[in-house]
Amino acid sequence: MIDQTYRLPSDAKLLTPVRVGAIEATNRIFMAPLTRSRAQSDGTPSDLAAEYYAQRACAGLIVSEATAICEQANGAYMFTPGIYTDRQQGVWAEIAEAVHARGGKMFVQLWHVGRMAHPEISGFETVAPSAIAADMVAHTPSGKQALPVPRALRVDEITSIVEQFRCAARRAVDAGMDGVEIHAANGYLLHEFLSDATNVRTDAYGGTPENRARLTAEVIEAVAEEIGPDRVGVRISPGGTAGDMRENDPVSTYEALLNRIAGLGIAYLHVLIDPSSQTFGAIRALWSGTVVLNTGRDRDTDFRELEGLAEWGAVSAVAVGRAYLANPDLIDRLLLGAGLNEPDESTFYASGPAGYIDYPALAGLEGSRTA
Ligand SMILES: Cc1cc2nc3c(=O)[nH]c(=O)nc-3n(C[C@H](O)[C@H](O)[C@H](O)COP(=O)(O)O)c2cc1C
């Protein structure tokens, strides 16, 4: 799965610093958001999370696991964190401090899971832009269950969701985080509004590309106003099929979104897509700001390809997920051409320290970046 042999030259573009909005990242290999399902049952991050993230502080920027903006925003998976209570915020503050102490930078990824929620996990009715279920199962406390047909959100509820994103972003920055990434990818609520397959509303939030992009744009605008646009990233996955998602004409949808947010000056656009696709070319041409690319989970992490994209200027930075999950000292390993640890899928969403904070660093290098 991971290219074990490539050694990044010490003058690699990916190893050069890059300004991303308000922060100066020491390199261009960011850590992609990774749900790890180890949070406490009230949505407070795990006591191990500070150590887990601090171990990976060599990343130019860490994007946290997806984090709920309110209690109702949860419910796709068990033991995922939130950032809507003082207790949760307190542990996020410990995480920020631990990452900063190692010289790292970190954004919290904010989500509402929309139709991907199961009431047995969330404790709430499942909501979405329209009453169209995802043809998927959730892993609930009583076993695998089909996702229900969601209830279409009322406009007054949509307005509240915008405010909940704003409040969650405020809490993240108050906790000492460097910023937030708005999760508008992978079939969760904002993506469901963007898609013409999951959004068949006939009001101001459905129909035209501009209307389908409205909620995501309003969230970005509200969060940018609250914490400053230079602390806001946005993740999109145009045409992506995660979460039983379909988009018939992604380019026109994302064109509407990007046109509307172009003038805000946000920190970055994070695109999860195959870089050889036509859609990526179109999206790239539509965005003059900073682009962070994640090539997607079905492809091998090919650092040679990623370096080529960075050198060519197609992307400002890349995000990699599983390679950081399994290699806390990924940057050192790439520089040395050392072998990479293989990620253990059986512990991706397990509980406890195994497969979380016990991936080994290279002997002799442990702690070398803490000095
Ligand atoms: C265990 C796991 C958890 C993930 N959790 C999230 C998440 O919380 N938010 C998100 O946007 N993407 C999530 N993803 C997708 C990753 O960010 C990334 O797009 C994917 O792993 C492909 O990149 P990679 O090949 O570098 O791992 C997750 C992927 C994995 C494997």
Side-chain angles (χ1 to χ4, degrees), residues 32-36 64-67 109 111 181 183 185-186 188 235 270 272 294-301 319-323 325 348-349:
L34 295 167
T35 291
R36 303 306 312 275
S64 82
E65 65 210 274
T67 301
Q109 192 189 45
W111 72 349
E181 179 175 283
H183 194 350
N186 291 352
Y188 300 105
R235 189 175 219 209
H270 185 173
L272 169 48
N294 179 219
T295 58
R297 69 189 330 165
D298 293 334
R299 293 172 62 97
D300 292 351
T301 304
V320 299
R322 289 161 300 170
L325 187 157
F348 277 6
Y349 309 104

Side-chain angles (χ1 to χ4, degrees), residues 172-358:
V173 168
D174 286 352
M177 288 289 168
D178 297 291
V180 301
E181 179 175 283
I182 308 296
H183 194 350
N186 291 352
Y188 300 105
L189 185 75
L190 298 181
H191 197 188
E192 291 158 19
F193 269 86
L194 288 163
S195 159
D196 58 340
T198 48
N199 179 353
V200 295
R201 301 177 72 94
T202 53
D203 61 9
Y205 291 94
T208 61
E210 288 73 19
N211 280 358
R212 283 183 279 108
R214 187 178 308 278
L215 174 59
T216 305
E218 287 179 354
V219 166
I220 296 165
E221 287 163 359
V223 169
E225 184 185 83
E226 185 67 32
I227 64 170
D230 54 357
R231 297 192 179 277
V232 183
V234 179
R235 189 175 219 209
I236 57 172
S237 54
T241 56
D244 188 28
M245 188 50 68
R246 274 175 299 120
E247 286 175 285
N248 292 308
D249 182 12
V251 174
S252 62
T253 305
Y254 292 91
E255 182 171 14
L257 175 67
L258 299 182
N259 280 344
R260 177 154 167 183
I261 64 169
L264 293 177
I266 63 167
Y268 65 85
L269 180 71
H270 185 173
V271 192
L272 169 48
I273 199 166
D274 179 342
S276 64
S277 67
Q278 280 187 351
T279 305
F280 178 63
I283 299 289
R284 186 69 199 84
L286 287 167
W287 188 249
S288 58
T290 298
V291 170
V292 180
L293 174 76
N294 179 219
T295 58
R297 69 189 330 165
D298 293 334
R299 293 172 62 97
D300 292 351
T301 304
D302 180 348
F303 287 98
R304 189 177 282 108
E305 177 197 20
L306 298 181
E307 170 64 13
L309 287 163
E311 277 176 22
W312 173 45
V315 301
S316 303
V318 298
V320 299
R322 289 161 300 170
Y324 270 120
L325 187 157
N327 296 277
D329 54 350
L330 180 66
I331 299 294
D332 284 332
R333 286 173 186 260
L334 290 172
L335 256 170
L336 294 169
L340 301 184
N341 300 322
E342 275 295 327
D344 173 9
E345 285 190 30
S346 72
T347 52
F348 277 6
Y349 309 104
S351 58
Y356 192 50
I357 53 168
D358 63 352

Side-chain angles (χ1 to χ4, degrees), residues 5-73:
T5 56
Y6 185 54
R7 178 181 194 147
L8 268 184
S10 56
D11 63 348
K13 181 81 178 186
L14 288 176
L15 297 175
T16 59
V18 59
R19 174 148 284 277
V20 182
I23 68 155
E24 181 82 12
T26 54
N27 62 63
R28 296 164 191 254
I29 307 177
F30 297 177
M31 179 172 160
L34 295 167
T35 291
R36 303 306 312 275
S37 295
R38 283 163 170 85
Q40 302 172 40
S41 50
D42 69 350
T44 303
S46 156
D47 289 339
L48 303 174
E51 184 172 353
Y52 164 72
Y53 283 116
Q55 285 176 345
R56 289 156 180 79
C58 66
L61 174 67
I62 295 173
V63 183
S64 82
E65 65 210 274
T67 301
I69 56 163
C70 61
E71 205 179 353
Q72 293 90 334

